[in-house]
Amino acid sequence: MRELVRRIEAATPPSRDRAIDALRGLAILGVVLGHWLVTALIADSGTVRVASPLQDLPEFTPVSWVFQTLAVFFLVGGQVAARSHAASRARQEGYRHWLAARLGRLFRPVAAVLALWSVATLPMLATGVPWPTVYALGKLVLSPLWFLLVFAALTAATPLVARVHPLWPLAVVLHVDVIRFGLDGPAWLGWINVAAGWLVPYCLGTAWSRHGLKDRAAGWVLLLGGAAATALLVLFAGYPGSMVGVPGAPMSNLNPPTLAAVTFGLAQCGGALLLLAPLRRALRRPAAWAAVALLNLGAMTVFLWHQTAMIAVTVTGRMAGELLGHGPLPGLHTVPDGYGWVLARLAWLPLFALALLVCVAAFRTYEQGGRRPARQRRPGASKEIRRA
């Protein structure tokens, strides 16, 4: 372990801002833990359905404020993509070359997920697994892909987006919501916010790359202003308090994004900027930086496979329970309608994490391109860390 830490430290360029990698890692872990905490797979009348503890336990709504961290990921993504594009132009590389390199790492791991679940679907249907169950599981696994499609589109548009002030897409979101909710406009208008809503933190990131954001001053303005705006929208404008979708709820802040989700994202971006200095100090320690660097080298793999890991533990637990004559396991197959479920689910998280580590070990090579076996790739560790 010490040798691995030493190699990672030696391979890291002195100019690398380690805090940015830490923010990306925190954003990914927030999404993973959020899904694991608010998603329950319940066996019901021979099928499996998805439920959320937020349906019966609204007092846990603040959990969604902590773990819905996509805005931070778009903030970091905009900053990194804009800097990468500027560096590519300085090297006189073409746009296509730059874009292929940026998108390749996003979509190579997707092929592995799609292949495995395409292969798994046929045996499930052939052995009599009900279609609603197959659909529920497939939706859980594939639903995160919307995020990659939006992120890829914004990445491709980085040369244009870098010139856009964040207030412009924010104004679009505001007008869309006024028309939808204030003037009883068509619901389909909300899907404009899928691009406009996430463009707001992405544009903040591109402005950050041009030194257009002063860490602490901008951080406090975004944090306090975004939090105040979100509170007003939730308390007086009828927006849901949860920042994730709740099954059965009449309205979602995330599907599609609402003005409340965007203002909440601005507050998160402000908090992220304020964390930069403490993170930079903490990541001077080689061991702490090694953990962040390793997470970032497999970030997309973690994101794409975390639902599969949860499903694997849930299905394995169900099969083991049936073999041993036990009923549904608390926190795994039971209805999430009480504090007991929450405590039991917390106890299952280490197993979810272990299953995810197995998935990462098996499929991480797709994210790195799978060019060389692990033993031959050791000397190139410095290149991997520079690209991460």
Side-chain angles (χ1 to χ4, degrees):
M1 182 60 70
R2 290 182 179 178
E3 177 62 19
L4 176 62
V5 170
R6 186 197 65 78
R7 284 204 306 268
I8 292 174
E9 182 69 20
T12 304
S15 60
R16 189 175 189 94
D17 191 342
R18 302 180 180 193
I20 293 177
D21 295 277
L23 289 178
R24 184 195 293 117
L26 288 172
I28 290 291
L29 291 179
V31 173
V32 170
L33 289 173
H35 282 163
W36 285 353
L37 287 171
V38 303
T39 305
L41 291 171
I42 302 169
D44 186 8
S45 302
T47 63
V48 169
R49 62 182 177 88
V50 178
S52 169
L54 298 179
Q55 291 173 279
D56 296 302
L57 300 170
E59 59 268 34
F60 284 100
T61 293
V63 170
S64 70
W65 306 345
V66 177
F67 295 112
Q68 201 289 81
T69 50
L70 286 176
V72 176
F73 193 93
F74 278 96
L75 172 76
V76 172
Q79 198 265 9
V80 172
R83 290 187 62 184
S84 171
H85 182 254
S88 178
R89 290 187 63 185
R91 295 191 300 267
Q92 297 184 338
E93 295 175 350
Y95 168 76
R96 291 184 179 180
H97 179 271
W98 171 80
L99 184 61
R102 298 300 301 176
L103 297 187
R105 189 171 172 187
L106 280 179
F107 287 111
R108 280 192 301 263
V110 173
V113 174
L114 294 178
L116 183 141
W117 277 94
S118 296
V119 171
T121 298
L122 294 177
M124 284 194 290
L125 293 174
T127 55
V129 176
W131 169 249
T133 296
V134 176
Y135 176 80
L137 298 180
K139 185 178 180 181
L140 270 183
V141 172
L142 299 180
S143 58
L145 296 185
W146 73 263
F147 152 79
L148 288 184
L149 293 176
V150 175
F151 190 79
L154 295 183
T155 299
T158 296
L160 297 176
V161 168
R163 305 173 185 176
V164 176
H165 194 283
L167 287 178
W168 287 108
L170 180 61
V172 171
V173 175
L174 171 62
H175 283 81
V176 167
D177 274 19
V178 167
I179 295 172
R180 287 172 64 201
F181 304 128
L183 303 177
D184 293 324
W188 60 263
L189 278 177
W191 295 106
I192 296 174
N193 287 350
V194 173
W198 299 118
L199 191 55
V200 174
Y202 197 89
C203 286
L204 277 174
T206 62
W208 182 14
S209 74
R210 301 189 304 270
H211 307 288
L213 295 179
K214 302 300 181 182
D215 292 355
R216 292 196 63 79
W220 282 114
V221 169
L222 289 169
L223 176 61
L224 298 178
T230 305
L232 291 173
L233 290 169
V234 171
L235 294 174
F236 301 109
Y239 285 86
S242 173
M243 291 300 147
V244 299
V246 179
M251 179 181 174
S252 168
N253 273 322
L254 203 57
N255 189 30
T258 64
L259 180 61
V262 175
T263 57
F264 177 76
L266 290 175
Q268 284 189 318
C269 291
L273 292 176
L274 293 173
L275 277 176
L276 287 173
L279 286 173
R280 286 168 183 150
R281 290 192 295 269
L283 293 175
R284 291 171 187 165
R285 293 178 293 178
W289 166 238
V292 170
L294 290 173
L295 173 60
N296 274 271
L297 288 174
M300 281 298 100
T301 306
V302 169
F303 178 78
L304 289 169
W305 288 93
H306 73 278
Q307 296 284 49
T308 298
M310 182 187 71
I311 291 170
V313 173
T314 303
V315 171
T316 303
R318 183 67 174 170
M319 294 171 62
E322 290 177 350
L323 288 175
L324 297 174
H326 295 296
L329 298 175
L332 206 58
H333 315 114
T334 52
V335 177
D337 58 358
Y339 294 165
W341 185 93
V342 175
L343 293 174
R345 173 50 62 101
L346 291 174
W348 286 108
L349 292 184
L351 279 182
F352 292 171
L354 180 61
L356 180 56
L357 286 176
V358 172
C359 291
V360 171
F363 298 104
R364 176 181 167 272
T365 54
Y366 290 92
E367 185 166 351
Q368 297 300 327
R371 289 182 294 275
R372 296 187 298 271
R375 289 183 180 178
Q376 297 177 8
R377 197 166 56 244
R378 293 296 185 188
S382 62
K383 294 181 180 179
E384 287 189 3
I385 291 174
R386 289 187 176 93
R387 288 195 304 265

